[in-house]
Amino acid sequence: MVVCLAMATDSMAVLKEKDLEQTLTVLRSELVERHNELTNETSQRRLQNRDIQNELLTTMQRSNQNSLMLYSQKTNYVFDLTYACNEATNQYQEFQHKQLPFKQFLESNDAEIAKFDSLIVSLRTMPVALLSQKGKTDRNVCLTLATSIRNTLMANRSQTAQFMRYYELTEQRLKNLNDYAQKRYNDIQTGIFRNGGRSFPEILANLQSSLDETRQTLAEKYRPTKDSQWSSGVIVFLFGAIMLYILIATLLNLLAFHFLLPRRLQTPEFMKKRSCIIMATTTITFAIILALVRNLGSQNFIIMASNLLIEYAWLLAVILISLLLRVDGSQIKSAFRIYAPLVVLGFLVIAFRIVLVPRELVNLIFPPLLAMATIWQWVAVGRHNQNIPRQDMFYTYISLTVFIVSTVCSWAGYTLMAVQILIWWIMQLTCILTITCLSRWLKIFGERKQMHEKPITKSWLYFFIYRVMLPVMGVFSVMISIYWAADVFNLSDLCWQIFRKHFIDLENLQLSILKLSMVVCLWFVFSYFASTLLAFMRLHFTTQDPSTADSRVAMSRNVVQVLVWGIWLLLSLSILHISLAWLLAISGGLSTGIGFASKNIIENIFYGASLMAGRLKVGDWIEVDGTMGKVQSISYTSTIIESLYGEVITFQNSQLFDKNYKNLTKNHGYVLAVVPFGVAYGSNLRQVQQVVEDAVNSMHHQWMDPEKKVKAVVSVMNDSSVDFKLFVWADAVKKSYVISDVLRTVYETLGKNGIEIPFPQRDIHIIK
C-alpha cells in the first residue's frame, strides 16, 4: 500500500506591489505556475490512486480469505484455529501500520479550496472600469485560472473522499475480523490453561470410542483436497522433501570432511568429536537449505513449515556447538545422549504443529509419548551423569522435571498446556545454551588474547560484550522463550500484551514484566559504565602521577558511583512510573533534622575530599598527637593509618585537621633530626665542630639526605660541658636508626681525637 498520498503544495502568494495592475500581473504568473504544478500532480495522483485501489482490492481479497478460513474452523482443530486467528490479527496490525493520511489531505485540500473561493469572489467583484486594457486581461486570465484550479481541487477531493470511504470500510471489516479472532484466542487460552479435556485414564477407559473418534477426525482432516496448499499430499511431499534435504546436507558434509579437511586438523581430539561436528555442520547446512526453500517458495504451508523447522535446527545446532566447545572428546557422546530425549520430543512437537494435528490425536498419543520420554530421560541421567559436566547435568535435571510436570498435566487432561510447558523449556534451553556457547567462546578468546591484562583502552569492547550483552541476553531470554512457546499456538500477540500488562498499576507505581526487565538490564549497563569509567580514570591518573593515583581513584570512585547510580535510579523511577513528589515531601520535612544530625558526617566528607584532593595519599607517613603511622586508606569519612608499633588506628578526617597532623613524606621524605652532644671545657671548639661534621658526612648513610650536609653548632655552655647540636636530615620513618648511628659516630670520633666527653660527678663528704 502506498505509504502516504501526495499532499497539496502551498497556494500562490503575492505581496503588495507598486499598484493594482502590477499585483494582477504577478498573480497571473503565480496562478499559471500553480496550474501547471496541479496538472502534474493530477497525473501522478492517477497513478497513486491506481496503486491504492489495487492495494485495497488485495487487502479486501485477503480479508475475505482470512474470514472464510477463520469462520469455518472447528474448535477441536486447535492448531488450524490458532493459525487462522494469527493471520487475521496480523493483517489488521499491518493495515494499522500503513494508514494513509486521507484526513490530512482532505483538510489541506479544503483549506486551499476555501482560499480559491475567496480569490474568485475577489476577482469577480473587482471594478474593471479602473483598470487598463492589460489589467483587464490579467484579471480575466487570473479568474479563469483560479476557477480551473478550484475545479481540479474539488475533483481531487471527491475522489479522495471516495477512497477514504473504501478505506474505512476495509478497516472496519478487518477490525471485526480481528475482534472475532481475539475472542477465539481467549477460548484457546481458556482451553489450554483452565478447562482441560478428558484425562488420559478416561480416554483409556473408553479407548475404542476414542480411537473411532480420532480415526474419523483424521479421515476428515487429511482427506485429499484438490488444488489445496494444505492437502495431505502436500504434507507427505513436504516430509519427503525434508528427508531429501537431510540426506543432501549429510552427504555434502561427509564429502567436505573427507576431501577438504586438512590432515593437520584431524587430531585425536577432533576424531573423538568427529560425529558431533558432522552433525552440527549438517544441521547448519539443513537450516540454510530450508531458508532458501522458504524464500523461494510461494505456498503458505511450505513457508510456515520452513520457519518452524529452522527454529528447531537452531536448537539442535546450538546444543551440538555448545557441547563441542565445553565438553572434551571422552564426554561428547554421553553429553549428547542426555539431550536426545528433548531433541526427539521437540521434533515431534514441531511435526505436530506443521501438520496441524487435531486435538483428539494430540490427547490420544501425546501423554504416552511424554511418559516414554520421561523414562528415557531418567535412564539417560542414571547412565551418563558421571561422564558429563555439572552444568549440563543441571540442565538435564531441569529437563527431567519439565518432562515429569508435562506428563502429569497431559495425563490430567491438560495436554495442550503440557505442550506449552515443553516448548517453553526447549526454547529456554536454546537461549541458555546460545548464551553459554557465546560465553565460552568469549572466555577462550579472552584467555588467548590476555584481555584481562590489557589496558581498558584495548579491552573495553570485550568487557562490554561479556558483562553487558550476555547478561542482558540472559534477562530477555526468559521472555523470548515464553514468546516462542506461545507462538506455537500463535498466541504471541497475547503473550506480548501480558509482558506489557501492569500487574501493579497504582498512581505512583506501575510494574510489568517488561519494565522490570528494562530496569535489570539498565543495571548491567550502568555497572559496566561505572567500572569502565573508573578504569579509564585509574589509567589516566597512573600515567600522570603514580604517587597520587590511589587517592584520586578513591575519590573518583565515590563521585562516579554517586553520579552513575543516581542516573540509574532516576531512570528506573521514571520507567516504573514512581513519582518523586513523596521523596521531595519527605526530604523537605526531614532536611532540617538531617542537617543537624549529619553535621559531623558532612564535615568529615568535606575534609575527606580535601585530603583525597592531594594533601594525603595512601602510603604517606604522618604524625598525629605524637603517633607516627603509614596511611593505609582514605575514605570520605575516615583515614586509617598503621603506626610504627603495628597498631591500626582510625582517625575521623575532621580530627586530623583539628590536631594539625604532620605529613612527613609530602615533600621529600626527610625530616630534621637534632642530635645533642657535649665536650669538656678547654676543648678546641672549632676542632670539635670540624671533626664531627667530617665524620658524620663521610658516613654516606642510606637513610640520610645526600644533598644536605650535616651541620654542628654550639648551643649552650652548661655547668660541666659545652653543648653542641648536630643537625641531620634523616628519613622520617628511620629517624631513630639514623640518630643512633650518628651518636655512635660522634662518640667514636671524639674518642679518636682525644676530645673529652664530660659526665656529671659528685663529691661526697662524710662528717663523723
Side-chain angles (χ1 to χ4, degrees), residues 429-458:
L429 183 62
T430 303
C431 295
I432 291 173
L433 291 179
T434 300
I435 297 171
T436 304
C437 182
L438 292 174
S439 176
R440 177 62 177 171
W441 181 84
L442 278 175
K443 186 176 181 180
I444 295 173
F445 175 81
E447 292 175 352
R448 183 180 304 168
K449 298 294 184 178
Q450 296 180 343
M451 284 296 179
H452 291 272
E453 300 178 6
K454 289 185 177 181
I456 192 63
T457 53
K458 296 183 179 180

Side-chain angles (χ1 to χ4, degrees), residues 483-602:
Y483 183 87
W484 277 338
D487 196 45
V488 172
F489 293 97
N490 296 108
L491 297 173
S492 53
D493 292 336
L494 180 63
C495 183
W496 184 246
Q497 294 175 8
I498 294 175
F499 289 155
R500 293 186 297 179
K501 181 178 178 59
H502 296 138
F503 53 87
I504 295 180
D505 192 2
L506 304 176
E507 182 179 357
N508 293 323
L509 176 62
Q510 291 180 348
L511 288 181
S512 66
I513 298 175
L514 182 60
K515 288 186 175 182
L516 287 177
S517 300
M518 292 174 63
V519 170
V520 174
C521 291
L522 284 176
W523 185 88
F524 288 111
V525 173
F526 279 86
S527 176
Y528 164 80
F529 183 74
S531 60
T532 304
L533 187 59
L534 284 174
F536 273 107
M537 289 183 174
R538 184 180 296 107
L539 180 63
H540 175 69
F541 293 148
T542 304
T543 304
Q544 277 193 336
D545 186 2
S547 63
T548 60
D550 292 338
S551 298
R552 294 188 179 186
V553 168
M555 182 174 63
S556 301
R557 180 183 296 109
N558 293 278
V559 175
V560 168
Q561 287 179 349
V562 170
L563 181 63
V564 170
W565 293 115
I567 296 175
W568 172 81
L569 178 61
L570 292 177
L571 287 176
S572 300
L573 294 177
S574 176
I575 291 173
L576 299 178
H577 199 65
I578 298 177
S579 176
L580 298 178
W582 64 276
L583 290 176
L584 295 176
I586 293 176
S587 62
L590 298 179
S591 59
T592 303
I594 292 175
F596 283 110
S598 61
K599 173 180 176 296
N600 293 332
I601 298 176
I602 295 174

Side-chain angles (χ1 to χ4, degrees), residues 625-738:
D625 279 350
T627 301
M628 181 186 296
K630 184 179 181 180
V631 177
Q632 297 294 325
S633 66
I634 307 173
S635 68
Y636 273 101
T637 57
S638 62
T639 299
I640 299 176
I641 69 170
E642 182 181 356
S643 72
L644 283 174
Y645 303 102
E647 301 104 341
V648 177
I649 307 173
T650 301
F651 290 97
Q652 293 203 2
N653 294 327
S654 59
Q655 290 179 329
L656 294 180
F657 283 86
D658 291 341
K659 297 179 179 180
N660 295 323
Y661 73 93
K662 299 177 182 178
N663 191 334
L664 303 179
T665 55
K666 174 67 175 176
N667 293 328
H668 40 63
Y670 293 102
V671 295
L672 183 62
V674 180
V675 182
F677 67 93
V679 297
Y681 279 97
S683 301
N684 187 339
L685 299 184
R686 291 185 181 276
Q687 180 190 8
V688 172
Q689 184 177 4
Q690 185 64 43
V691 295
V692 170
E693 289 179 357
D694 292 342
V696 176
N697 285 326
S698 61
M699 289 172 58
H700 300 297
H701 203 285
Q702 60 176 337
W703 294 325
M704 291 171 54
D705 190 350
E707 297 181 358
K708 295 183 179 180
K709 301 298 182 181
V710 174
K711 184 67 177 175
V713 297
V714 178
S715 61
V716 67
M717 291 185 292
N718 275 326
D719 295 340
S720 58
S721 66
V722 178
D723 292 342
F724 284 79
K725 286 183 178 179
L726 189 62
F727 299 108
V728 180
W729 287 93
D731 184 282
V733 181
K734 307 297 183 181
K735 180 180 176 181
S736 298
Y737 298 105
V738 172

Side-chain angles (χ1 to χ4, degrees), residues 200 204 362-374 407 410-411:
F200 192 67
L204 293 178
V362 175
N363 292 335
L364 184 62
I365 67 174
F366 203 69
L369 284 177
L370 275 172
M372 287 188 292
T374 304
T407 302
S410 64
W411 283 63

Side-chain angles (χ1 to χ4, degrees), residues 56-297:
L56 289 175
L57 181 61
T58 303
T59 302
M60 187 61 71
Q61 290 176 348
R62 183 183 170 192
S63 172
N64 290 328
Q65 184 181 7
N66 288 335
S67 63
L68 294 176
M69 177 175 61
L70 180 59
Y71 296 145
S72 64
Q73 293 301 320
K74 296 183 178 180
T75 306
N76 59 336
Y77 293 177
V78 179
F79 292 110
D80 303 60
L81 181 59
T82 55
Y83 177 79
C85 292
N86 184 64
E87 289 294 310
T89 55
N90 282 347
Q91 185 183 13
Y92 179 69
Q93 292 173 359
E94 291 173 4
F95 192 83
Q96 289 290 101
H97 293 158
K98 297 178 180 179
Q99 286 188 350
L100 298 180
F102 288 112
K103 293 182 180 179
Q104 294 90 327
F105 177 80
L106 290 179
E107 292 174 358
S108 176
N109 206 62
D110 289 342
E112 197 165 2
I113 290 173
K115 288 191 292 184
F116 277 99
D117 284 338
S118 300
L119 178 61
I120 291 171
V121 171
S122 177
L123 290 171
R124 284 177 178 173
T125 58
M126 184 178 295
V128 297
L130 301 178
L131 300 175
S132 64
Q133 186 61 37
K134 182 179 181 304
K136 293 178 182 179
T137 302
D138 289 339
R139 175 257 183 192
N140 293 334
V141 172
C142 288
L143 182 59
T144 302
L145 289 171
T147 304
S148 177
I149 292 172
R150 177 188 176 279
N151 293 336
T152 303
L153 292 173
M154 289 292 294
N156 291 340
R157 187 193 187 285
S158 177
Q159 191 174 31
T160 303
Q162 184 179 5
F163 278 123
M164 185 175 177
R165 286 193 295 273
Y166 291 152
Y167 185 88
E168 290 175 347
L169 288 174
T170 304
E171 184 179 22
Q172 185 61 41
R173 182 179 181 84
L174 292 177
K175 184 178 183 302
N176 293 336
L177 191 61
N178 178 72
D179 292 341
Y180 179 78
Q182 294 299 328
K183 292 179 181 178
R184 301 305 298 269
Y185 268 141
N186 291 333
D187 296 339
I188 295 170
Q189 181 185 4
T190 302
I192 294 175
F193 299 107
R194 297 180 184 176
N195 301 329
R198 290 184 300 171
S199 65
F200 192 67
E202 293 177 355
I203 294 176
L204 293 178
N206 302 278
L207 183 60
Q208 187 59 45
S209 61
S210 299
L211 289 174
D212 293 339
E213 182 181 356
T214 303
R215 189 181 300 110
Q216 181 180 357
T217 301
L218 291 176
E220 180 183 352
K221 169 70 176 173
Y222 297 112
R223 68 174 180 267
T225 305
K226 187 178 180 181
D227 300 329
S228 175
Q229 295 184 1
W230 304 82
S231 175
S232 57
V234 177
I235 295 175
V236 173
F237 170 78
L238 172 67
F239 280 95
I242 290 173
M243 296 297 105
L244 179 61
Y245 297 154
I246 294 175
L247 180 61
I248 293 174
T250 304
L251 290 176
L252 288 175
N253 284 275
L254 287 174
L255 292 174
F257 275 90
H258 184 73
F259 293 104
L260 301 179
L261 187 69
R263 291 289 182 183
R264 58 185 177 84
L265 296 180
Q266 299 182 18
T267 61
E269 184 68 17
F270 173 85
M271 297 308 295
K272 292 179 181 179
K273 296 183 177 181
R274 186 174 184 272
S275 299
C276 191
I277 294 174
I278 293 177
M279 290 178 62
T281 55
T282 300
T283 304
I284 296 172
T285 306
F286 175 67
I288 294 173
I289 295 175
L290 286 176
L292 294 175
V293 172
R294 180 191 60 186
N295 294 329
L296 297 177

